[in-house]
Amino acid sequence: MACKRGALIVLEGVDKAGKTTQCNKLVQVLQQSGRPAEMMRFPDRTTTIGQLISAYLEKKSDLEDHTVHLLFSANRWELVPLMKKKLDQGTTLVIDRYAFSGAAFTSAKPLNPSEAALRGQFGEERYETSVFQRAVQQKFEQLMKDPSVNWQVIDASQSVEDVHTDIKTRTLNAINTAENQPLGQLWK
Ligand code: Z5A
Ligand code: MG
């Protein structure tokens, strides 16, 4: 029998929405139920490109806006062959931020000219200001109008366990849907 492909589950949202917490719990519960699943996160700060991004986010270096956008993009592309391989082998990937963050964060920059003046006053990392995060949220809402993506909105203000239950239910549906799609369809 042909191998069934895995599902690509991406958790997106503003700073501290609980994405990493939920990705970890989701992968754990999938694995415990015997479903092959792995977690990845972007930016992946462990690669050479990821280290450049990390220094930028930690304000240890400054980079031109287009340049940093392309570094985030390259950081995803360098892992695409591995992601394809795992999905085709039937492993479900749970991804902590992906290209939607790339679009939302970069496009939020022109919305918010005062952001530069706020740097250093709020969170420890670049972008961690309430003004900037509101702009990012608006950008995510625009991206969610794209009907070609199966967006699911989760209320992140619930308890960790309630958010987890919600995400788990929707993920199991997505895995069932992916299993019924032919191998390779995702990458055409
Ligand atoms: N970025 C970009 O610009 N372009 C790109 O292409 C990509 C990213 C991919 C770093 O991302 C920055 O990179 C990010 C976007 C930009 N900038 N910002 N903002 P990151 O993923 O490394 O970091 P982050 O998303 O900003 O923040 P985070 O710390 O990873 O947040 P989180 O993962 O969503 O939250 P968490 O760590 O799971 O939880 C935060 C805390 O809340 C923690 O103490 C938890 O125990 C607690 N928590 C979690 N859930 C709950 C609930 N339900 N109730 C109460 N407390 C909770
Ligand atoms: Mg996180």
Side-chain angles (χ1 to χ4, degrees):
M1 201 174 100
C3 173
K4 291 174 175 174
R5 50 154 288 203
L8 179 64
I9 308 292
V10 176
L11 266 62
E12 290 281 12
V14 293
D15 189 30
K16 306 291 181 261
K19 301 173 295 299
T20 303
T21 304
Q22 294 297 334
C23 283
N24 282 320
K25 286 180 77 69
L26 183 59
V27 167
Q28 200 178 8
V29 79
L30 291 175
Q31 289 175 345
Q32 281 167 357
S33 66
R35 294 176 178 86
E38 289 180 28
M39 178 172 163
M40 297 175 94
R41 64 182 303 174
F42 294 101
D44 178 342
R45 303 187 193 216
T46 64
T47 70
T48 305
I49 292 170
Q51 283 165 19
L52 293 174
I53 295 170
S54 191
Y56 170 80
L57 289 171
E58 291 169 11
K59 300 178 197 159
K60 291 177 183 160
S61 69
D62 281 318
L63 291 168
E64 193 273 338
D65 285 344
H66 300 79
T67 307
V68 77
H69 178 79
L70 292 172
L71 286 178
F72 274 114
S73 181
N75 185 233
R76 289 187 291 274
W77 277 108
E78 63 185 339
L79 287 162
V80 163
L82 181 65
M83 292 170 67
K84 282 184 180 183
K85 191 172 157 202
K86 287 185 181 293
L87 288 168
D88 278 355
Q89 287 172 343
T91 300
T92 284
L93 295 180
V94 176
I95 316 278
D96 189 353
R97 289 194 187 278
Y98 199 54
F100 308 102
S101 277
F105 277 78
T106 295
S107 61
K109 285 180 174 178
L111 266 188
N112 180 24
S114 61
E115 192 262 338
L118 294 169
R119 282 181 194 163
Q121 293 179 15
F122 292 86
E124 284 158 23
E125 288 207 329
R126 207 180 287 265
Y127 306 149
E128 291 183 351
T129 70
S130 53
V131 176
F132 193 77
Q133 293 295 325
R134 269 197 297 278
V136 168
Q137 181 157 4
Q138 285 170 7
K139 290 295 179 182
F140 275 129
E141 283 164 9
Q142 286 176 16
L143 289 170
M144 282 164 50
K145 290 178 185 158
D146 177 357
S148 69
V149 179
N150 180 13
W151 285 99
Q152 302 280 319
V153 180
I154 311 287
D155 177 2
S157 67
Q158 302 173 91
S159 70
V160 170
E161 284 311 318
D162 285 352
V163 176
H164 172 63
T165 303
D166 200 347
I167 292 176
K168 184 177 68 178
T169 306
R170 293 165 196 250
T171 296
L172 293 177
N173 287 337
I175 290 174
N176 284 337
T177 305
E179 281 180 353
N180 293 319
Q181 285 174 344
L183 268 181
Q185 180 167 315
L186 180 70
W187 306 106
K188 280 181 183 162

